[in-house]
Amino acid sequence: MAIAEWVLPNGQRADYALFKGLEFYGIVEAKKWDQDIAGQMAQPKEYSREVPFRSDYLLVDNQMGDYKVPFIYTANGRPYLKQYKEKSGIWFWDARNPKENAYALEEFHHPEDLALKLTAKNPDEANQDLVNDNDFPKFADRDYQVEAIKNIEEAIKDGKKRILLAMATGTGKTRTAIALMYRLLKHKRARRILYLVDRNSLGKQTADAIKDNKIGNLSISSIYGVKELQDKLPDASTKIQIATVQGMIKRLFYNDNEEEKPSVGQYDFIIVDEAHRGYAEDKELSDKEYQFYDQNDYVSQYRRVVDYFDATAIGMTATPALQTTDIFGQPVYSYSYQQAVLDNYLVDHDAPTIIKTKLSQEGIHFKKGAEISLFDQASESIKSEKLPDNMNFEVKDFNKRVITENFNRVVCDYLAQNCLNPNDPELGKTLIFAATDAHADMVVRLLREAFKKAGNPVEDDAIEKITGSIRHPNNEIKLFKNEKNPNIVVTVDLLTTGVDVPEITNLVFLRRVQSRILYEQMLGRATRLCPEIHKAVFNIYDAVGIYDAMNKVTNMKPVVKNVKHDIHYFVKRKDEFGISDISEQYQIDLSAAVDRKIKCMNDAKRKDFERLTEISSIDQWARDLVHLNRKAFLNEWKNIEQLDKLQGDKPKQYISNAPDEYVGIERGYGQGNSDPEDYIESFNKFVKEHVNTIPALQIVATRPKDLTYDELKKIKLELEKNGFKEHDLQSAWKSANQVQTTADIISFIRQAALGSKLVDHDVRIHNAMQKVYGMANWNMVQKSWLKKIENQLISSTVLGPNAETAFSSNFFKRQGGYKQMRKIFSDNADQIIYVLNENLYV
């Protein structure tokens, strides 16, 4: 459809349009018009340019390009259809900007919408203001969040109407969105924004985040008027409105009260949270089908909401689906789970614990003619039936197609005896995925029985079901997030997406899912950092084989992350670490290990320690350790050794006599869930076969001193793609050789390629730093900076091949970078990095 013409209902073209003020009055056929129009379609009449017409009407001549009004429409009465997009819909063009293209709307703007468009700031000017503004809110100023916002703003500047942002669960999509809204409103690029969610709990969570996140001393909600879920329409002053997709569908398409129906121009931007949830896939009807069916029955309501408004739509998701990219296009920015783990913004998961039972291995079999019990879900009653044929069920069918209480009992017994302890909140919380609501009830009951049987009875509200069937699910979610109990929650679908509980350290799978997106959302419930409980990794307990089933397709495979050491590790390596020269990081790590141990001690053991050391409070002593100066810290070493001697309580072991019986567990490594020896052997084989074909591997093996931090991250990602990660190598090495090691990935690669000896990460860095400490008689300021260099090297593994590269990292850049290091160390700045690199891998 050409912009310079309008289509009449009868299919004819017209070159002129008639307006009164801002209200559209009709289309005038070429060279014919009627001067006496009062809101009716023009009647054909000969036209002359010299004929006068009333001053409150305005004639627009498209062919001449002489636009006398800012906004132009064209329509033929057909509702907008994607497959007929050039021949349907109400097409709108903002004639103030000839470079902008026309686009289709479902309805005309209200006069108020057009009045607001006229008073809005020029988009080009607002876009440039955004480009020039490098001040990002503190609550969303991580590098990747800033980059995400910049990429979205660039897409807006380029005129994109559909934009997609992909960020891993737990990396702060909501905070990023709030920061983006703040910037759009601040620079008047948006006058009103709709924040769309798919469930009430997410809407409440977003509203709370808008209230909690602040600019200076003011919350975002106090700076800009915010309407929440219960508010149907915004006020004139409202800048942000939160709504559910379901609520907006009702207001737009099933609303008899026109006054409550939002206008197409009510929002300038729509931010769609959890945009992977498409509700129904769109279907385009063929020309023949269109004659018999209503297209509205085949268009997802989710998409209809987005398409209804004359607004730029920004979708946010951790797991883009096909229908997501169909609506929003490819992501303008992506931040993956693997990258977030490598950047220490998320936690990795440990090798899964595969719980095996006799039934899960052999399956459940019913013979032809057997009389079995059937549960009728509709009537919630049990009936009997004789089987006409043999029936066989594998573990993937458990709890869905076949109800097996004995299987669930064995799994719950194992979890209660070996894995979970709701009575110790410092061990984190647990989320269990059940197959159905009735299955969730069963698991809650069996777990309570299992803890009682294990000699560890729990409070009644320590284990609860949270599904859509309970009376106040949002209240229970809030308790799960903020209170001690519930500690273990059993859910079906309600908590699979969008719920943020950082204390979750255990995921238990008692159901299979076929969707990669749903599986990754489930894993995402446990990825968040939680320093309060020293969360380093999270655990997966898999009783139905979902980990292996999804491992080939998921994007959330385990990534490298070092695990903190226990007290015995530090005590054993006292001489290696050089206790006379304590580093700040060493003191922090040891203090954390002390804290973890005392939290697991019972009252009797705690009193024994206080008596033997003459310390009045073990808790206060542990809290003070990290703040002591070097001399005072060394004076506490005898007490640290005393704490190491105290053995923790071992859990009791119980054997189930149920018809199903415990077979064992399996710790799998890598993509094939290999045993430790095979995993190490396959890693060594991979390195030898690829050391000459993967450039980064060759650098690690032959020239580690030339390695950059970015190259190290790339090689970690490459190894992870092939199933190898640092933490699993350390764990497998310990299992295979009965020797604990904290060797980093570089040491493992060199051991595989060259046969080099594995050296613990901290020890290797300490030895190299001793060479640096011996280079000169450093003054106090220089010694302080050497400690910072050592701590940074412990954290990042490598600094860089030369001083200029090493001191350009974000940590040193904030301190003044290479230029500042030259001032502090004079000519020795370059020599420090040279000596370090020469001695790290000798």
Side-chain angles (χ1 to χ4, degrees):
M1 181 183 297
I3 281 298
E5 63 185 14
W6 287 264
V7 180
L8 296 173
N10 62 10
Q12 293 180 320
R13 261 53 173 183
D15 301 314
Y16 302 91
L18 192 64
F19 292 79
K20 180 181 180 182
L22 291 176
E23 297 186 24
F24 172 72
Y25 269 77
I27 301 173
V28 183
E29 190 176 356
K31 299 189 180 301
K32 297 179 182 180
W33 83 304
D34 185 350
Q35 180 177 337
D36 297 320
I37 295 177
Q40 304 297 320
M41 180 61 69
Q43 299 298 316
K45 188 174 182 179
E46 289 299 323
Y47 166 79
S48 168
R49 293 185 187 279
E50 287 72 34
V51 175
F53 56 94
R54 297 204 309 224
S55 60
D56 58 346
Y57 286 88
L58 202 54
L59 187 66
V60 183
D61 183 341
N62 270 1
Q63 288 186 332
M64 295 176 62
D66 185 16
Y67 305 109
K68 304 289 180 155
V69 293
F71 309 118
I72 298 175
Y73 297 86
T74 176
N76 62 4
R78 171 181 269 180
Y80 177 74
L81 298 172
K82 186 177 179 181
Q83 68 267 40
Y84 299 120
K85 59 184 178 181
E86 285 84 13
K87 301 177 182 178
S88 64
I90 299 168
W91 283 72
F92 170 73
W93 186 45
D94 188 339
R96 297 173 300 172
N97 189 351
K99 295 181 181 179
E100 293 292 333
N101 296 323
Y103 49 89
L105 299 172
E106 290 202 14
E107 295 184 5
F108 288 101
H109 292 98
H110 287 193
E112 295 84 357
D113 297 336
L114 298 180
L116 286 171
K117 281 182 176 289
L118 286 174
T119 60
K121 189 174 183 178
N122 182 282
D124 290 338
E125 182 183 344
N127 287 336
Q128 192 56 49
D129 288 345
L130 286 169
V131 171
N132 296 335
D133 183 3
N134 290 314
D135 184 20
F136 292 82
K138 297 297 182 185
F139 57 80
D141 63 351
R142 292 175 176 174
D143 290 345
Y144 66 87
Q145 292 170 331
V146 170
E147 196 65 26
I149 294 171
K150 286 182 176 179
N151 277 266
I152 293 173
E153 291 174 352
E154 188 64 30
I156 293 170
K157 182 180 177 183
D158 292 341
K160 289 188 177 181
K161 299 288 285 184
R162 298 289 181 266
I163 301 167
L164 184 61
L165 170 65
M167 287 172 58
T169 298
T171 55
K173 289 191 297 296
T174 302
R175 291 195 303 275
T176 301
I178 294 172
L180 174 66
M181 290 192 291
Y182 167 74
R183 287 171 59 85
L184 292 173
L185 293 168
K186 171 185 175 183
H187 293 291
K188 296 181 172 57
R189 182 60 179 85
R191 58 184 175 80
R192 187 179 293 137
I193 300 170
L194 173 63
Y195 195 99
L196 208 56
V197 298
D198 76 299
R199 57 184 62 177
N200 287 332
S201 60
L202 298 185
K204 181 66 170 63
Q205 188 170 290
T206 302
D208 291 341
I210 293 174
K211 295 171 186 174
D212 293 340
N213 289 294
K214 297 181 178 181
I215 303 294
N217 294 322
L218 296 175
S219 68
I220 300 295
S221 60
S222 64
I223 298 174
Y224 300 115
V226 177
K227 290 290 186 180
E228 298 186 30
L229 295 174
Q230 65 273 15
D231 302 305
K232 291 185 177 181
L233 290 173
D235 296 330
S237 61
T238 299
K239 298 299 182 184
I240 300 171
Q241 180 164 12
I242 303 169
T244 63
V245 176
Q246 298 86 341
M248 193 56 68
I249 287 170
K250 186 175 180 181
R251 289 171 220 170
L252 291 175
F253 308 121
Y254 303 98
N255 188 0
D256 295 330
N257 187 347
E258 287 295 322
E259 293 183 359
E260 291 184 356
K261 183 177 181 179
S263 66
V264 294
Q266 194 151 275
Y267 309 101
D268 299 311
F269 287 86
I270 303 174
I271 295 180
V272 184
D273 197 6
E274 304 295 348
H276 59 276
R277 298 177 66 88
Y279 298 96
E281 293 188 12
D282 297 332
K283 177 185 177 183
E284 293 180 12
L285 301 183
S286 66
D287 290 345
K288 190 173 182 179
E289 287 176 320
Y290 180 69
Q291 298 174 18
F292 302 101
Y293 300 106
D294 184 352
Q295 176 69 15
N296 289 337
D297 294 337
Y298 295 90
V299 177
S300 71
Q301 300 300 306
Y302 170 74
R303 184 166 190 157
R304 283 194 70 191
V305 171
V306 173
D307 288 344
Y308 174 83
F309 291 105
D310 178 17
T312 297
I314 301 169
M316 302 188 307
T317 181
T319 49
L322 180 60
Q323 68 264 28
T324 317
T325 54
D326 281 347
I327 296 174
F328 296 98
Q330 293 299 319
V332 297
Y333 182 78
S334 297
Y335 190 66
S336 69
Y337 169 72
Q338 288 91 343
Q339 195 61 56
V341 171
L342 289 173
D343 291 340
N344 289 323
Y345 289 124
L346 294 180
V347 299
D348 196 9
H349 62 268
D350 212 341
T353 298
I354 312 299
I355 303 174
K356 295 183 177 182
T357 76
K358 185 177 180 181
L359 288 180
S360 70
Q361 297 296 290
E362 298 178 0
I364 295 176
H365 310 281
F366 296 113
K367 292 184 178 181
K368 179 180 178 180
E371 188 167 313
I372 64 169
S373 298
L374 293 175
F375 177 69
D376 188 327
Q377 295 188 43
S379 62
E380 295 188 350
S381 61
I382 297 176
K383 302 176 180 179
S384 296
E385 180 180 291
K386 239 178 205 182
L387 287 182
D389 295 296
N390 292 334
M391 293 196 72
N392 301 303
F393 297 97
E394 299 178 7
V395 68
K396 63 183 177 64
D397 302 312
F398 288 12
N399 305 317
K400 279 196 171 181
R401 294 189 62 203
V402 58
I403 299 172
T404 166
E405 183 167 321
N406 289 331
F407 163 76
N408 288 282
R409 178 176 288 107
V410 172
V411 173
C412 290
D413 284 348
Y414 176 78
L415 292 172
Q417 293 165 11
N418 301 280
C419 309
L420 311 179
N421 184 5
N423 291 321
D424 188 350
E426 296 300 329
L427 298 179
K429 296 196 172 189
T430 300
L431 185 60
I432 300 176
F433 297 106
T436 65
D437 196 76
H439 179 220
D441 287 327
M442 177 197 293
V443 172
V444 170
R445 171 173 59 84
L446 292 175
L447 271 176
R448 288 171 178 166
E449 293 174 1
F451 281 109
K452 187 175 182 180
K453 185 164 55 175
N456 186 24
V458 299
E459 298 174 9
D460 192 63
D461 61 351
I463 307 171
E464 289 189 359
K465 175 185 78 172
I466 300 181
T467 66
S469 69
I470 67 175
R471 188 173 182 184
H472 300 295
N474 290 340
N475 291 343
E476 295 304 315
I477 291 172
K478 185 182 293 186
L479 290 174
F480 187 39
K481 181 176 181 178
N482 299 315
E483 303 295 336
K484 173 189 173 184
N485 286 334
N487 179 275
I488 298 176
V489 161
V490 186
T491 190
V492 180
D493 287 323
L494 193 61
L495 299 182
T496 56
T497 181
V499 176
D500 178 6
V501 183
E503 289 83 0
I504 294 176
T505 56
N506 306 299
L507 296 179
V508 180
F509 288 98
L510 294 177
R511 63 173 290 201
R512 281 276 194 105
V513 295
Q514 303 300 318
S515 166
R516 170 191 65 85
I517 293 170
L518 180 55
Y519 174 69
E520 291 183 0
Q521 289 288 329
M522 291 164 132
L523 289 184
R525 297 313 99 214
T527 60
R528 286 167 175 79
L529 299 173
C530 191
E532 295 83 1
I533 58 172
H534 307 289
K535 179 178 172 183
V537 294
F538 67 92
N539 306 304
I540 297 174
Y541 301 101
D542 179 10
V544 291
I546 191 174
Y547 188 86
D548 282 342
M550 301 303 296
N551 198 36
K552 296 177 182 178
V553 296
T554 181
N555 294 319
M556 290 184 64
K557 296 177 182 178
V559 188
V560 177
K561 189 172 180 68
N562 287 327
V563 178
K564 295 181 182 294
H565 313 306
D566 60 15
I567 297 175
H568 189 67
Y569 173 86
F570 291 99
V571 172
K572 187 176 180 181
R573 287 162 175 76
K574 174 181 178 182
D575 296 332
E576 295 177 11
F577 279 104
I579 298 306
S580 61
D581 197 12
I582 292 294
S583 71
E584 180 184 357
Q585 189 60 48
Y586 178 84
Q587 186 171 346
I588 291 172
D589 289 345
L590 179 50
S591 299
V594 167
D595 187 58
R596 286 196 306 276
K597 178 157 186 175
I598 66 171
K599 283 182 170 65
C600 299
M601 293 167 58
N602 59 31
D603 288 342
K605 292 288 176 62
R606 292 160 69 93
K607 290 185 182 300
D608 279 347
F609 177 78
E610 291 172 347
R611 178 177 55 81
L612 293 169
T613 58
E614 298 182 357
I615 289 173
S616 59
S617 169
I618 186 174
D619 294 303
Q620 190 61 51
W621 172 76
R623 282 194 291 269
D624 291 342
L625 271 181
V626 72
H627 303 295
L628 300 176
N629 60 39
R630 182 169 62 89
K631 183 177 180 181
F633 183 80
L634 288 175
N635 288 338
E636 295 298 329
W637 191 257
K638 63 180 184 301
N639 294 330
I640 294 171
E641 290 179 319
Q642 184 64 52
L643 183 63
D644 179 50
K645 294 176 183 176
L646 292 175
Q647 298 299 318
D649 296 326
K650 294 184 179 180
K652 297 178 181 179
Q653 297 289 318
Y654 292 85
I655 300 174
S656 171
N657 294 318
D660 192 11
E661 60 189 35
Y662 173 64
V663 174
I665 67 166
E666 179 180 290
R667 293 296 299 273
Y669 295 91
Q671 295 175 344
N673 276 336
S674 306
D675 61 37
E677 292 82 359
D678 290 343
Y679 181 66
I680 294 170
E681 183 179 343
S682 61
F683 172 78
N684 293 341
K685 182 180 179 182
F686 177 85
V687 171
K688 290 174 181 177
E689 289 178 350
H690 295 87
V691 69
N692 294 320
T693 58
I694 300 178
L697 265 182
Q698 191 174 44
I699 293 174
V700 172
T702 60
R703 307 188 317 278
K705 63 183 179 181
D706 295 334
L707 193 66
T708 67
Y709 182 66
D710 286 340
E711 286 171 335
L712 177 61
K713 289 205 294 186
K714 287 179 182 178
I715 193 60
K716 285 182 177 181
L717 282 173
E718 184 65 31
L719 289 171
E720 186 273 331
K721 290 176 184 177
N722 288 277
F724 303 111
K725 64 172 188 171
E726 186 176 273
H727 179 267
D728 275 359
L729 287 167
Q730 294 170 350
S731 178
W733 186 271
K734 178 181 178 181
S735 297
N737 300 290
Q738 286 75 53
V739 177
Q740 175 73 46
T741 182
T742 60
D744 56 36
I745 197 67
I746 299 177
S747 289
F748 275 105
I749 292 171
R750 289 174 61 79
Q751 188 271 338
L754 308 174
S756 303
K757 181 181 178 182
L758 286 182
V759 179
D760 283 350
H761 178 71
D762 309 68
V763 174
R764 178 174 52 77
I765 292 171
H766 171 78
N767 293 338
M769 283 300 301
Q770 292 306 303
K771 301 291 184 182
V772 174
Y773 289 132
M775 284 173 53
N777 293 321
W778 308 108
N779 60 39
M780 293 302 294
V781 173
Q782 291 170 331
K783 285 183 178 180
S784 173
W785 274 101
L786 289 178
K787 294 294 183 186
K788 292 180 181 180
I789 292 172
E790 181 176 0
N791 292 339
Q792 186 61 21
L793 188 55
I794 289 173
S795 173
S796 62
T797 303
V798 298
L799 295 179
N802 54 62
E804 193 165 353
T805 301
F807 294 131
S808 65
S809 68
N810 289 335
F811 173 79
F812 291 107
K813 192 180 292 183
R814 291 194 296 266
Q815 317 292 335
Y818 177 63
K819 186 176 180 181
Q820 181 66 16
M821 294 300 102
R822 287 291 301 268
K823 288 182 180 179
I824 294 170
F825 292 106
S826 187
D827 296 335
N828 283 323
D830 293 86
Q831 189 67 13
I832 287 170
I833 301 302
Y834 175 80
V835 170
L836 269 178
N837 287 335
E838 287 293 320
N839 289 278
L840 277 172
Y841 293 97
V842 295

